[in-house]
Amino acid sequence: MWEYTDKVKNAFLHPKNAGEITDADAVGEVGSIVCGDALKIFLKIDKETGKITDAKFQTFGCASAIASSSALTELIKGKTLVEASGITNQDIADYLGGLPDQKMHCSVMGREALEAAIANYRGEAIPQETKEKVICKCFDVTEDKIRKVAIENHLTTVEDITNYTKAGGGCGECIKDINDILVDLWSVRKPEKPPKPRKLTNLQKIALIQEIIEAEIRPGLQADNGDLELIDVEGPKVIVELRGMCTGCAMSDVTIGRIQEKLRELVSEDIVVESQQ
Amino acid sequence: MKTIYLDNNATTQISPEVLREMIPFLSDYYGNPSSMHTFGGRLHKKIEEAREMVASLIGALPEEIIFTSCGTESDNTAIMSAVESSPRKRHVITTKVEHPAVLNFCRHLSRKGYRVTYLPVNNLGQLDMDVLVKSLDEDTAVVSVMYANNETGVVFPIREITEILRERGILFHTDAVQVAGKIPIDIKTLPVDMLSLSGHKLHAPKGVGALFVRKGTRFSPYIIGGHQENGRRGGTENVASIIALGKACQLALENIREENRNLSSLRDKLENALLKCCPDVRVNGDAENRLPNTTNLSFEYIEGEAILLRLNEYGICASSGSACTSGSLEPSHVLRAMGVPYTAVHGSIRFSLSRYTTDEEINKVIEVMPPIIKELRQLSPFGREKLSCPSS
C-alpha cells in the first residue's frame, strides 16, 4: 500500500478542475494507455494578459496521477504563461505534501503536460520524441528526458530515474544505458549539493560549526526535549555538551555519531565529536 | 466502517474455531515437541494429529506431509529437491503464469545454469498441452505447474499433465496454494509427486505451510538442521500454527462441497451484476474452469489502483493487476502472458471471496462499484464516447 499524504488522498477523491474545455486555447497531452498513465490538460488563456484563466484535466492513471493533475491545474490557474512555465514537478509534489518516491513520475507527467500545452499555444512543434534516442523501450523514455529530469531534480541513481520517469522499470534492459547517461552527466557537472568549504581558518571553522549546530542539530534535539552546546574546538576535535533529555540518554552515542557525520559532511572529513561529561 | 474483505486469494481471516484451537499452544503449552519430558513431548502427538488432518484434506497418507513455514518454502523445497535428486538432469519446466514462489525460483535456477522452459497460456489463461509435450526431453528433471492461478482462478488440467508425465517418469510438482480447501483434491487418484499448500489461504494463520511428497519419491531437504519432520525439514516446529493448519484443513474438508456452491453463486452474482451495469468490462480467464471464489474483471479506460482506493473508501478490499499496485512498474505477468491488452490489464480488479463472504457484502459492492467506474471514466481521456451506464 502506498503511503499517500492526506492532500494526495483528498485531491484524488475530490479532484479539482476535472473535465474538458471544448474551446480550449491550448491542449497538452502526454503518456499513453499502454504505459499505465496519461494526462490531457486544457487551458483557457487571456490573450491580453497572457494569464491562464481556466484549466481542466482528464487523467488515466493511479491515485497520485489524478492528484498530481488536480494539483497542476490548481497551481497554474491565474498565473501567466511565463509564471506557469516556471512550475517544476517538485512544485506539484510539494503542493500535495509530497509523493512516494516511486510515484514521482506522476508529478513529472504533470509538468510535461503543461509544457506540451504551452508549446501548443505558442504554436511550437511538440518535441518530436520519435526522432530522439529512446533509451527505455518499455515506457518510451528518451535520453533527453532522462537528462532533463535528472538535472532538474538532482537525480544520481538509476533507481531515482525509474521513480521519476519510469525508465528502467520494465524489462530492465536499459538500466546500463541509464547508468551511462548518469555517469556522463555528473562527470561534467556535479549535482547541486551545498559546497564544502575548503581551507578554513580556525575562526571560520568554529563559526561554521556553530552555525550548523544551531541550524541543523539543535532543533531536532530540542524537539525531543534535549539540547546541546558547543564547548570547544581543538584542531579536528569538536567538544560538545549534551543537555536536557540528551543527558544520560541511552542513544547519546548515536546522537554524537550523527552530529559527527553531519559535521564531516559539511565542514571537514577529519572531525571527531566528543561529548563532555 | 465495516470491512468487506474480498481479497481472500491474498490471505484469509483465521477462522474462530482455528484460533480457539491454537491459542493454548501459544500460551500454556509452550514446550518443544522434541523434548523427553511430557510437557514438551506430548505436543508431538498433537502435531501428528494435525498431520493426519492435513493429509485427509488431499487424500494423502500422514507420512507424506511435511510441515513448512509457508507456500513459498514448500514450492522452493519441492523444485530444489527434484533437481537435487536427479543431478544429471538440467532442465525444468514451469509456466509463465506461476506465482513468484515458483517463477523466481526457476529464474534463480536458470542463473545457476539450468535450462528452464516457461509454458505459454492462451487468452483464456489455459495451458497449451502440446507445448508441454514438445518441451519434455530426457534432461527434464521436474515439471512444476500450479493447480489454479491466483490472479484469475483458472484451474489447470493437472490430471492430464500427470498422465503425460507418468509415462515418461518425470517428477511433477503442483503449487496448490490457491486450491487446497477450495475444491476437492484427491491425491490417491491424482498421481502428482509433490504438492504445496499454505495455511493462510485457508483460514489458518500466516507462517505455516505443507508440502506433500508422495511415498517413494526421492527427497532432499531444503532446510537442513535437526531431525524434525523425519529429517526432511529442520527447525523447531511452529506448534500452534501446525495445529491451526490441521484444524483449518479439517473444517475445509467438512464443508468443501457446500461452500463451493455458495461461493460460486455469490461470485457469479457479483460478476454478472458488474458485467451488466458497467460497460466495457471483461472477465479475464476461462470462466468455465475457475476456482469458485475468484473473479478477475477488467474495466477499460481506467486504472486499477484508482479503483481500489475508491473501493477502500467503502471498506471494500480487493486487488489489481495494474502496474501501480505491483510495487514495480510492470503490470500483472499473468494477464500479460494471457495477451490481455494493456488497456485492460491496467484496469483489472480481482475479487476473491471466502466462506465468510455474505450476500449483503456482495450487494454493497454491486451498489458502489458502478458509480466508481463511471466517475473514474469521467476523469479519463479514453473511451469517452461510452460513458453510459444503464443502471446509474
Side-chain angles (χ1 to χ4, degrees):
Chain A
M1 177 122 200
W2 301 111
E3 294 282 334
Y4 287 133
T5 64
D6 287 341
K7 284 181 182 165
V8 174
K9 284 184 206 157
N10 193 46
F12 162 63
L13 293 172
H14 314 286
K16 301 264 173 63
N17 310 314
E20 122 186 74
I21 302 174
T22 42
D23 59 342
D25 298 310
V27 179
E29 200 170 359
V30 290
S32 82
I33 206 161
V34 172
C35 294
D37 42 24
L39 162 58
K40 195 171 179 180
I41 63 162
F42 305 85
L43 306 180
K44 277 303 272 182
I45 296 157
D46 185 318
K47 289 188 180 53
E48 304 274 301
T49 60
K51 268 194 180 160
I52 300 171
T53 54
D54 197 10
K56 287 200 184 298
F57 75 90
Q58 289 174 339
T59 295
F60 164 80
C62 56
S64 56
I66 290 170
S68 295
S69 309
S70 173
L72 168 70
T73 52
E74 288 281 281
L75 276 166
I76 59 176
K77 267 170 108 172
K79 288 205 167 59
T80 64
L81 283 182
V82 177
E83 288 165 346
S85 58
I87 287 170
T88 65
N89 65 283
Q90 192 59 49
D91 293 332
I92 297 173
D94 290 346
Y95 187 84
L96 293 166
L99 286 171
D101 286 347
Q102 297 92 328
K103 294 285 188 177
M104 283 303 287
H105 61 86
C106 296
S107 67
V108 173
M109 189 172 75
R111 222 282 311 275
E112 285 181 328
L114 175 64
E115 273 173 20
I118 293 174
N120 171 256
Y121 180 70
R122 291 177 176 159
E124 293 163 8
I126 295 165
Q128 291 287 312
E129 294 259 337
T130 45
K131 282 186 193 159
E132 294 171 22
K133 191 176 166 198
V134 173
I135 300 294
C136 173
K137 293 184 181 70
C138 296
F139 295 109
D140 201 22
V141 185
T142 62
E143 176 165 351
D144 282 7
K145 175 166 171 180
I146 292 171
R147 284 178 178 271
K148 188 171 174 216
V149 174
I151 292 167
E152 285 172 355
N153 294 283
H154 317 304
L155 308 181
T156 54
T157 67
V158 176
E159 195 188 339
D160 288 340
I161 295 293
T162 305
N163 288 339
Y164 279 69
T165 68
K166 292 188 169 189
C171 69
E173 265 181 30
C174 62
I175 283 173
K176 194 189 163 294
D177 298 336
I178 298 173
N179 197 47
D180 290 347
I181 292 171
L182 290 173
V183 168
D184 175 64
L185 186 65
W186 297 127
S187 63
V188 186
R189 57 173 105 197
K190 291 275 167 263
E192 281 177 33
K193 266 190 174 178
K196 191 184 287 187
R198 297 276 169 210
K199 304 231 166 155
L200 296 168
T201 66
N202 219 20
L203 213 56
Q204 283 170 329
K205 186 169 158 186
I206 293 169
L208 184 61
I209 291 171
Q210 183 72 45
E211 193 186 314
I212 292 164
I213 286 177
E214 290 300 327
E216 306 223 36
I217 295 166
R218 287 186 67 199
L221 296 177
Q222 285 163 350
D224 293 325
N225 294 320
D227 208 342
L228 164 143
E229 194 183 343
L230 177 65
I231 303 294
D232 202 0
V233 178
E234 299 172 8
K237 203 154 54 163
V238 176
I239 299 159
V240 297
E241 192 177 335
L242 293 171
R243 298 272 166 84
M245 292 296 279
C246 289
T247 323
C249 168
M251 298 295 284
S252 64
D253 283 349
V254 178
T255 308
I256 296 288
R258 287 214 187 107
I259 296 166
Q260 178 168 298
E261 204 177 305
K262 190 95 215 164
L263 294 178
R264 280 182 177 182
E265 183 195 335
L266 297 175
V267 185
S268 167
E269 307 276 349
D270 59 1
I271 279 182
V272 180
V273 177
E274 287 179 8
S275 103
Q276 178 174 285
Q277 297 304 319
Chain B
M1 185 169 51
K2 201 173 153 275
T3 297
I4 299 179
Y5 190 76
L6 298 178
D7 200 11
N8 288 281
N9 286 10
T11 196
T12 59
Q13 80 166 83
I14 302 178
S15 63
E17 299 94 318
V18 168
L19 189 63
R20 259 200 308 278
E21 193 81 11
M22 74 183 285
I23 277 179
F25 301 92
L26 290 168
S27 52
D28 299 344
Y29 310 120
Y30 53 81
N32 187 327
S34 300
S35 296
M36 276 301 120
H37 43 72
T38 316
F39 180 68
R42 68 181 168 192
L43 297 176
H44 184 74
K45 193 164 163 281
K46 296 295 291 183
I47 290 178
E48 293 317 307
E49 284 170 20
R51 199 184 306 281
E52 281 171 29
M53 293 177 204
V54 175
S56 296
L57 178 67
I58 57 170
L61 300 169
E63 62 265 35
E64 293 176 320
I65 301 296
I66 301 169
F67 287 116
T68 65
S69 68
C70 58
T72 298
E73 188 196 321
S74 298
D75 288 338
N76 284 201
T77 304
I79 298 169
M80 199 63 194
S81 169
V83 298
E84 292 222 322
S85 308
S86 41
R88 255 173 262 131
K89 297 185 173 180
R90 308 284 288 174
H91 179 220
V92 175
I93 299 177
T94 186
T95 77
K96 287 187 172 174
V97 295
E98 293 298 308
H99 186 273
V102 169
L103 204 55
N104 285 338
F105 193 78
C106 288
R107 287 185 185 139
H108 169 76
L109 286 179
S110 81
R111 283 192 292 271
K112 298 256 174 202
Y114 285 84
R115 191 158 54 88
V116 181
T117 303
Y118 301 94
L119 302 173
V121 293
N122 65 13
N123 57 13
L124 290 176
Q126 298 158 322
L127 268 191
D128 188 332
M129 300 299 278
D130 287 344
V131 182
L132 169 64
V133 174
K134 281 181 197 142
S135 306
L136 296 168
D137 59 39
E138 294 195 338
D139 203 28
T140 309
V142 61
V143 176
S144 180
V145 173
M146 65 197 336
Y147 206 129
N149 185 269
N150 48 314
E151 293 189 26
T152 58
V154 171
V155 178
F156 284 125
I158 299 301
R159 181 169 304 280
E160 235 180 298
I161 299 173
T162 59
E163 280 159 12
I164 293 168
L165 296 180
R166 194 154 54 159
E167 350 179 308
R168 293 168 172 82
I170 295 169
L171 278 180
F172 180 54
H173 163 252
T174 184
D175 173 352
V177 161
Q178 292 296 345
V179 176
K182 288 185 192 137
I183 53 177
I185 302 176
D186 187 8
I187 231 79
K188 281 196 290 294
T189 60
L190 187 72
V192 304
D193 300 299
M194 291 181 277
L195 177 146
S196 305
L197 60 90
S198 169
H200 75 110
K201 309 282 192 196
L202 70 154
H203 305 290
K206 295 158 190 69
V208 65
L211 176 64
F212 157 82
V213 181
R214 188 176 294 279
K215 213 172 166 179
T217 306
R218 287 174 71 186
F219 182 79
S220 157
Y222 190 56
I223 293 193
I224 296 167
H227 55 84
Q228 294 89 353
E229 300 297 296
N230 255 329
R232 294 181 297 179
R233 200 270 186 187
T236 299
E237 298 88 341
N238 184 353
V239 180
S241 293
I242 287 173
I243 289 166
L245 177 59
K247 184 68 184 175
C249 287
Q250 187 191 34
L251 290 173
L253 185 63
E254 281 168 14
N255 304 310
I256 202 161
R257 286 183 201 277
E258 193 197 332
E259 269 173 23
N260 226 308
R261 271 195 303 278
N262 292 344
L263 279 174
S264 55
S265 105
L266 282 177
R267 188 267 317 267
D268 292 346
K269 176 178 171 178
L270 173 64
E271 188 172 280
N272 291 334
L274 295 180
L275 287 172
K276 190 169 149 241
C277 65
C278 303
D280 295 307
V281 182
R282 49 178 282 169
V283 178
N284 293 315
D286 175 10
E288 300 303 309
N289 239 323
R290 269 187 305 175
L291 293 173
N293 78 322
T294 308
T295 173
N296 189 314
L297 298 169
S298 275
F299 299 86
E300 298 262 10
Y301 317 122
I302 49 178
E303 199 277 334
E305 188 208 276
I307 304 173
L308 289 183
L309 291 182
R310 290 279 171 124
L311 285 172
N312 194 49
E313 290 297 299
Y314 297 95
I316 299 168
C317 310
S319 70
S320 166
S322 98
C324 285
T325 58
S326 66
S328 74
L329 292 166
E330 283 283 281
S332 157
H333 69 286
V334 175
L335 300 182
R336 288 300 300 139
M338 288 162 61
V340 175
Y342 274 109
T343 56
V345 176
H346 289 303
S348 70
I349 296 289
R350 178 190 70 187
F351 293 106
S352 47
L353 288 57
S354 83
R355 73 167 72 120
Y356 299 109
T357 306
T358 64
D359 196 43
E360 195 191 347
E361 291 175 329
I362 294 299
N363 288 340
K364 181 74 184 172
V365 180
I366 294 171
E367 178 198 323
V368 305
M369 195 71 175
I372 290 175
I373 300 304
K374 193 176 172 193
E375 277 172 36
L376 289 173
R377 281 187 178 159
Q378 273 164 351
L379 289 179
S380 172
F382 303 119
R384 303 201 58 76
E385 62 283 4
K386 299 171 179 172
L387 283 173
S388 60
C389 182
S391 81
S392 51

